[in-house]
Amino acid sequence: MDKTKTDAIEAAAFRRLLAHLDSRKDVQNIDLMNLAGFCRNCLSKWYVAAAEQEGESVDYESARERVYGMPYTQWKAEFQAEASPEQLAGFAKKSD
C-alpha cells in the first residue's frame, strides 16, 4: 500500500475516533486516562506534534477544538463532571 493510501486510511480512522469520542461525552477524560492511559487532551497534544512534524503550526487550543468538536471551555462547561474520589484515586495510582 502506498503512503497516500495509508495516510488516507489513518486519517479516516482518526476522524472515526473523534466521532466516537464526540458521541460519548459521558466518558470523562479521567476515565480515559485511568483505562487507556490517554485522553482528549493527549490527542490534542499529539495533533499539535504531528502538525509540527509536517512543518505546520497548530496551537494547542485550536487542536483541542478539533478534538473536542467545540472550544474546550464550552465542552468543559457543558460536559465535564467533577472527578469522583474513586476516579482521582485511580489516576493517582496510575501516576505512581
Side-chain angles (χ1 to χ4, degrees), residues 7-26:
D7 288 349
I9 291 167
E10 290 171 356
F14 180 72
R15 287 189 297 272
R16 187 166 181 182
L17 173 61
L18 292 182
H20 180 74
L21 289 173
D22 190 52
S23 74
R24 293 298 314 267
K25 290 180 178 79
D26 60 309

Side-chain angles (χ1 to χ4, degrees), residues 8-52:
I9 291 167
E10 290 171 356
F14 180 72
R15 287 189 297 272
R16 187 166 181 182
L17 173 61
L18 292 182
H20 180 74
L21 289 173
D22 190 52
S23 74
R24 293 298 314 267
K25 290 180 178 79
D26 60 309
V27 177
Q28 298 294 300
N29 281 332
I30 196 163
D31 296 324
L32 290 169
M33 288 298 295
N34 286 344
L35 292 172
F38 79 98
C39 69
R40 292 169 181 90
N41 291 323
C42 296
L43 284 175
S44 301
K45 290 174 186 175
W46 298 342
Y47 191 93
V48 169
E52 287 175 359

